[in-house]
Amino acid sequence: MVGGGQLARMTHQAAISLGQSLRVLSESPDDSAALVAADVRIGTHTDLAALREFAKGCEALTFDHEHVPTAHIEALEAEGVKVFPGSKALVFAQDKGLMRERLTSAPTPRWRRVTDVSDISDFAAETGWPVIAKATRGGYDGKGVWVLDDAAAAAELVATGTPLIVEEKVRLKRELAALVARSPFGQVAAYPVVETVQKDGICVEVLAPAPGLPEDLAVRAQQLAIDLANELGVVGLLAVELFETDEGIFVNELAMRPHNSGHWTIEGARTSQFEQHLRAVLDYPMGETSLTAPAVVMANVLGGEPGGISIDERLHHLFAEDPGARVHLYGKQVRPGRKIGHVTVLGDDMTKVRARAARAARWLQEGK
Amino acid sequence: MVGGGQLARMTHQAAISLGQSLRVLSESPDDSAALVAADVRIGTHTDLAALREFAKGCEALTFDHEHVPTAHIEALEAEGVKVFPGSKALVFAQDKGLMRERLTSAPTPRWRRVTDVSDISDFAAETGWPVIAKATRGGYDGKGVWVLDDAAAAAELVATGTPLIVEEKVRLKRELAALVARSPFGQVAAYPVVETVQKDGICVEVLAPAPGLPEDLAVRAQQLAIDLANELGVVGLLAVELFETDEGIFVNELAMRPHNSGHWTIEGARTSQFEQHLRAVLDYPMGETSLTAPAVVMANVLGGEPGGISIDERLHHLFAEDPGARVHLYGKQVRPGRKIGHVTVLGDDMTKVRARAARAARWLQEGK
């Protein structure tokens, strides 16, 4: 797996059960996955020579993030490396412009490529201000996304030279995510559709299954994700981030890797997204995706302000307070706003489960 | 953790979630845990210098097996190393003679120390042949246990010089196991009592909870394990192997580490035995032990005869046949009768779950 973040860390945990050991290409020995995996190579994902060396002897190559240059992936494929998802699919998760051009049959918000500031103004004249500008590549966790209130803000952003698209600000009821996995053989498994709760562009909570989601809408969202996985030829996980609106569901973003909206599956689904991704990439049949409890909530733990009691002491308090909370810490240095772990709570009643998860995350985040 | 077997391997998986990375003292780089852990030291558990070096910088030292000489553990403790379970407790899991002498209040089968062959004959004169002889130290998986039919067999065994105890052959209905964990603070958590099914002295199946076990007997077994953990001052897991007979329950063996009878807890209990052991050893509050499904069955996968399709291909078939089976492979070379992995199945109906688990284990074992 290229990239040594928490996704690789949790994928390694899953690999161990399958009798495997994940090889990780990590930028630093202190990276989340590098701290726990047996087979770590230090190198940068933008360095083709490092990628080439890394791939030697691997059964298949996959990714912890979208930031490997498409040309590098194509070069590896040309040399016979099995890359999953392949460049032809992955590019649609890497480039928001290409993704929207490709998704002609799926419902997306109105959008336009930006080459000049007038593209934004003209677009806003149709949809009204504010509009959403997005960097076509490299964004994550709210980075690379801007809410533009007027032409002056648009001009300032365009002046930075960042390749952009502009998108209407959808009047959304909430955000959903549909997670599927597809094997090279073409078998697709779909997880229950979840609600994702964002704060400042960062996912803070995932509710599984999405509370009160009408069955027909859930099936439509799953079918949409299945169709996309098939159409794009995805191998591995595909997370489709969705907007739920009064007019139905719209595709927001795609990710082709284990995804924050699927962390709940470690305890909350019969097969975790991390094992599922490995099963797909290694061409095994897909695992069961059913829920293990009626209500599952995952809450991200973000780094809090410096000071206060240590993470270790916080964990102490949390375990004493809620012996059933499932904790996942990523071994990362705490920085304000950085994802340093997550907590999952399972139960029968979504309201209670959600309150417990929020409380558990707060304990780890704020120490109180 | 001293020892690089599958228990250390699965403990490492659990450590990752707690933001930790398990340091492993392994005899060979090919050992089960050494294949997947980031921090592996090669050395032998009988080498005090290696243990000393290994312990440097560890928060606490714990074990994957019982084979570290008691004197070495005492030496480390004298030098200030935190060892859990400590030598004073562990010795009762290491030495079957000492254990039986100590367990004056707990029900055990009749037994006697063997210094001469007449000890066995005299004992058999009271209980009748056959009797069970056990090596006081070092036995596992049926090794170090002998069924003696007559004085000639006894004489042959005694002649080997192995330190022995002799025990009556209990007329058992079945075997049970009670698993508890105790923290240094003295908090104890008990798992539901399970039925263990042995074949040729090796555990092949664990049924959780033990089917049809009367509530009062289950509570008595749990209380017995809790009392033993407290009396012996165990820190970490204590597995109490029990015989269920018409006259009640009898203690068979003790183990003070994650135990084969607790592998089902990875998916079948809210907190796995591996996390629980770490929580105890690291002095965290204990986690919830409740079942995640009404019926959970763990089946061991033993190495089959050489030949046939590869493990990889077997896994393929199994995943295709039962997408809900949870597989754990230990990365070990296949040898006939060697534990190379286990399978866990969860569901509502014990009979169906048991059949699925047996079928899954058979697929991996025999490839058909």
Side-chain angles (χ1 to χ4, degrees):
Chain A
M1 184 170 265
V2 177
Q6 64 263 28
L7 302 178
R9 182 180 173 103
M10 292 184 273
T11 305
H12 179 53
Q13 276 180 297
I16 293 172
S17 296
L18 296 180
Q20 307 275 346
S21 183
L22 193 71
R23 179 181 295 177
V24 176
L25 182 67
S26 190
E27 299 217 54
S28 144
D30 295 332
D31 284 352
S32 193
L35 294 169
V36 299
D39 188 0
V40 178
R41 314 288 164 105
I42 303 300
T44 303
H45 57 271
T46 50
D47 175 355
L48 180 56
L51 288 168
R52 227 176 234 142
E53 188 57 32
F54 178 71
K56 273 184 199 157
C58 285
E59 261 185 76
L61 201 72
T62 188
F63 309 97
D64 154 287
H65 56 63
E66 282 91 23
H67 309 320
V68 181
T70 311
H72 288 4
I73 302 177
E74 289 168 345
L76 293 169
E77 288 173 327
E79 291 161 20
V81 178
K82 272 196 210 167
V83 184
F84 295 128
S87 60
K88 284 191 171 52
L90 187 62
V91 70
F92 300 111
Q94 295 184 303
D95 189 306
K96 297 185 205 306
L98 293 180
M99 186 267 275
R100 280 165 185 73
E101 278 161 6
R102 180 71 169 74
L103 297 198
T104 47
S105 60
T108 57
R110 283 180 288 171
W111 73 286
R112 188 170 301 173
R113 266 190 195 279
V114 176
T115 48
D116 187 274
V117 66
S118 65
D119 293 320
I120 298 181
S121 312
D122 293 353
F123 182 78
E126 290 170 24
T127 65
W129 296 95
V131 293
I132 309 293
K134 291 178 174 176
T136 54
R137 281 195 171 239
Y140 70 98
D141 282 355
K143 294 184 182 69
V145 178
W146 300 269
V147 181
L148 302 178
D149 287 321
D150 51 36
E156 197 180 326
L157 178 62
V158 170
T160 64
T162 309
L164 298 169
I165 61 164
V166 62
E167 203 172 83
E168 70 177 311
K169 190 167 187 306
V170 170
R171 208 181 293 258
L172 56 93
K173 285 154 69 178
R174 59 176 172 174
E175 296 193 40
L176 303 172
L179 189 68
V180 298
R182 184 174 175 276
S183 75
F185 183 71
Q187 190 194 8
V188 186
Y191 286 92
V193 176
V194 298
E195 175 176 346
T196 64
V197 181
Q198 327 284 325
K199 202 178 157 189
D200 302 328
I202 298 184
C203 170
V204 290
E205 243 180 347
V206 174
L207 317 182
L213 185 67
E215 179 66 14
D216 63 324
L217 212 59
V219 170
R220 211 180 311 155
Q222 287 181 315
Q223 192 59 57
L224 177 66
I226 291 170
D227 291 346
L228 280 173
N230 283 327
E231 278 170 36
L232 303 179
V234 177
V235 169
L237 286 171
L238 170 68
V240 184
E241 298 181 35
L242 297 161
F243 295 134
E244 186 186 354
T245 75
D246 286 332
E247 289 79 44
I249 49 173
F250 293 93
V251 175
N252 176 26
E253 302 296 344
L254 304 183
M256 295 179 194
R257 50 168 171 77
H259 191 250
N260 200 166
S261 67
H263 290 358
W264 66 273
T265 59
I266 297 175
E267 296 91 1
R270 196 56 76 212
T271 308
S272 84
Q273 66 163 347
F274 300 100
E275 178 172 320
Q276 200 75 289
H277 186 70
L278 286 170
R279 283 164 80 141
V281 163
L282 298 171
D283 200 8
Y284 286 117
M286 298 294 86
E288 205 180 303
T289 55
S290 55
L291 288 155
T292 62
V296 185
V297 175
M298 188 285 318
N300 277 329
V301 178
L302 306 181
E305 294 302 322
I309 58 174
S310 69
I311 273 284
D312 186 64
E313 222 174 318
R314 293 174 189 193
L315 195 52
H316 240 275
H317 284 292
L318 165 58
F319 280 158
E321 167 144 335
D322 191 342
R326 308 297 314 135
V327 171
H328 296 263
L329 294 175
Y330 306 152
K332 287 174 160 184
Q333 292 298 317
V334 175
R335 282 204 304 260
R338 189 186 203 194
K339 286 178 192 166
I340 57 165
H342 76 264
V343 179
T344 302
V345 175
L346 300 94
D348 293 325
D349 179 280
M350 183 57 85
T351 307
K352 285 182 194 155
V353 167
R354 192 174 177 180
R356 277 175 62 198
R359 199 171 163 78
R362 204 194 64 212
W363 260 113
L364 290 176
Q365 208 153 307
E366 300 173 21
K368 59 192 179 194
Chain B
M1 184 169 267
V2 177
Q6 64 263 30
L7 302 178
R9 183 181 172 104
M10 292 185 273
T11 305
H12 179 54
Q13 276 181 298
I16 295 173
S17 296
L18 296 180
Q20 308 275 347
S21 183
L22 193 72
R23 180 182 293 178
V24 176
L25 182 67
S26 191
E27 298 216 55
S28 144
D30 294 333
D31 283 351
S32 194
L35 293 170
V36 299
D39 188 358
V40 178
R41 314 289 164 103
I42 302 300
T44 302
H45 57 271
T46 50
D47 175 355
L48 180 56
L51 288 168
R52 225 176 235 143
E53 187 57 33
F54 178 71
K56 276 185 196 156
C58 284
E59 262 185 75
L61 201 72
T62 189
F63 309 98
D64 155 287
H65 55 66
E66 283 90 22
H67 309 319
V68 180
T70 310
H72 288 3
I73 302 178
E74 289 167 346
L76 293 170
E77 288 174 327
E79 291 161 19
V81 177
K82 274 196 211 165
V83 183
F84 295 129
S87 60
K88 284 191 174 49
L90 188 61
V91 71
F92 299 110
Q94 294 184 304
D95 188 306
K96 296 186 207 305
L98 292 180
M99 186 267 275
R100 280 166 185 71
E101 278 161 6
R102 179 71 169 76
L103 295 197
T104 48
S105 61
T108 56
R110 282 182 289 172
W111 73 284
R112 188 170 301 174
R113 265 191 197 277
V114 177
T115 48
D116 187 273
V117 67
S118 65
D119 294 321
I120 299 180
S121 310
D122 293 353
F123 182 78
E126 290 171 26
T127 66
W129 297 96
V131 295
I132 308 294
K134 291 178 174 176
T136 54
R137 283 194 170 240
Y140 70 100
D141 283 354
K143 294 184 181 68
V145 179
W146 300 267
V147 181
L148 302 179
D149 288 320
D150 51 35
E156 197 179 329
L157 179 60
V158 170
T160 64
T162 309
L164 297 169
I165 62 166
V166 62
E167 203 172 80
E168 70 177 312
K169 190 167 187 304
V170 170
R171 209 181 291 260
L172 57 92
K173 285 154 71 176
R174 59 175 171 176
E175 296 194 38
L176 303 172
L179 189 69
V180 297
R182 183 174 175 276
S183 74
F185 183 71
Q187 191 193 8
V188 185
Y191 286 92
V193 176
V194 299
E195 175 177 346
T196 64
V197 182
Q198 327 284 325
K199 202 179 155 189
D200 302 327
I202 298 184
C203 171
V204 291
E205 245 182 344
V206 174
L207 317 182
L213 185 68
E215 178 68 12
D216 63 325
L217 212 59
V219 169
R220 211 180 312 154
Q222 286 181 315
Q223 192 59 56
L224 176 67
I226 291 170
D227 291 345
L228 280 173
N230 283 326
E231 278 170 37
L232 303 179
V234 177
V235 169
L237 286 172
L238 170 69
V240 184
E241 297 181 35
L242 298 160
F243 294 135
E244 186 185 354
T245 74
D246 285 333
E247 288 78 45
I249 49 173
F250 293 92
V251 174
N252 177 25
E253 302 296 343
L254 304 183
M256 296 180 194
R257 51 167 171 76
H259 190 250
N260 200 168
S261 68
H263 290 357
W264 65 274
T265 59
I266 297 176
E267 297 91 0
R270 194 57 77 214
T271 308
S272 84
Q273 66 163 347
F274 300 100
E275 178 172 320
Q276 200 76 291
H277 186 71
L278 286 170
R279 283 165 80 141
V281 164
L282 299 171
D283 199 7
Y284 287 117
M286 298 292 86
E288 206 179 302
T289 54
S290 55
L291 288 155
T292 62
V296 185
V297 175
M298 189 282 320
N300 277 331
V301 178
L302 306 181
E305 294 302 320
I309 60 175
S310 69
I311 273 283
D312 185 65
E313 221 175 319
R314 292 173 190 195
L315 195 52
H316 240 275
H317 285 290
L318 166 58
F319 281 160
E321 166 146 337
D322 191 341
R326 309 296 313 134
V327 171
H328 297 263
L329 293 176
Y330 307 153
K332 287 173 161 186
Q333 291 299 318
V334 175
R335 281 205 302 261
R338 188 186 203 194
K339 288 179 191 166
I340 57 165
H342 75 264
V343 179
T344 302
V345 175
L346 300 94
D348 293 324
D349 180 278
M350 183 57 86
T351 308
K352 285 183 195 156
V353 167
R354 192 173 177 181
R356 278 175 61 197
R359 198 171 163 76
R362 204 194 64 212
W363 260 111
L364 290 175
Q365 210 154 305
E366 300 174 20
K368 60 192 177 191

